Amino acid sequence: MSAKVSVSEHFKRLLDFSGREDRASFWPYAAVAFGIVMVVNMIAFAPIIIDATSNTERATLVSSTWIAVYLAAMFGTSFVLYSAAIVRRLRDAGRSIIWALLPLPFIIYSSIQMPRVMGSAGNADQDTILFTSVFASSLFYNISLLILIVMLTLASKPDRYAEF
């Protein structure tokens, strides 16, 4: 049987990867967590905009550093808020929790390489292979995220309990 979890309980269970969770409990929390991630992203993104508009000479260098901070804030906040809930939801749907890892290599690669891409933007020696690889990685991240979201929408399978 699926466990019903309130939105407030999710915050108490951020590091609880055990058990199951039904769709009706997961999606309201996912919406609240999305709102929190957006607020954190706006706060982390503000210095990039302020620096880029105030000092155009060093904006590229500083902005690429702030982009790394922004991506780390986005990834870290999302990871903390979603990881346990996604694992519980996948388990309830009878899917392997390994599916939760599908987007990770792509977002990690893009997050590491994006500051380099932004740092070389506008330069004559811009690395087009690096840009293309980050673009492809971002595309694969979005596709893998879509696959994960579809899996999170699957109905509960009370007779099936997937560990891996």
Side-chain angles (χ1 to χ4, degrees):
M1 184 77 183
S2 302
K4 293 239 183 229
V5 180
S6 71
V7 172
S8 61
E9 271 185 67
H10 273 90
F11 291 103
K12 295 176 189 168
R13 297 181 66 192
L14 283 178
L15 300 176
D16 182 7
F17 291 84
S18 63
R20 303 170 74 129
E21 186 171 324
D22 65 350
R23 288 185 291 193
S25 299
F26 176 79
W27 289 108
Y29 170 74
V32 170
F34 181 78
I36 292 169
V37 169
M38 290 298 106
V39 168
V40 169
N41 289 342
M42 285 187 279
I43 291 168
F45 196 64
I48 297 170
I49 299 299
I50 291 167
D51 186 67
T53 57
S54 66
N55 189 346
T56 56
E57 291 176 9
R58 57 183 202 105
T60 304
L61 175 63
V62 175
S63 291
S64 64
T65 303
W66 277 114
I67 287 171
V69 170
Y70 166 74
L71 291 172
M74 180 180 71
F75 179 71
T77 305
S78 297
F79 184 80
V80 168
L81 290 174
Y82 286 117
S83 59
I86 287 172
V87 166
R88 291 190 306 262
R89 178 68 203 116
L90 285 172
R91 191 176 290 129
D92 185 64
R95 299 292 179 194
S96 171
I97 62 175
I98 298 298
W99 285 105
L101 302 175
L102 185 62
L104 287 181
F106 305 114
I107 192 66
I108 290 170
Y109 177 79
S110 294
S111 296
I112 291 170
Q113 297 300 335
M114 184 56 79
R116 288 183 55 207
V117 169
M118 296 304 290
S120 69
N123 293 343
D125 60 336
Q126 183 177 2
D127 190 350
T128 55
I129 294 173
L130 178 63
F131 174 81
T132 305
S133 72
V134 171
F135 178 82
S137 177
S138 296
L139 179 66
F140 290 134
Y141 168 74
N142 287 316
I143 291 168
S144 64
L145 198 58
L146 183 62
I147 291 167
L148 181 59
I149 289 170
V150 167
M151 288 191 174
L152 294 171
T153 63
L154 297 174
S156 297
K157 295 192 183 220
D159 58 329
R160 191 166 171 204
Y161 188 83
E163 280 298 322
F164 290 102

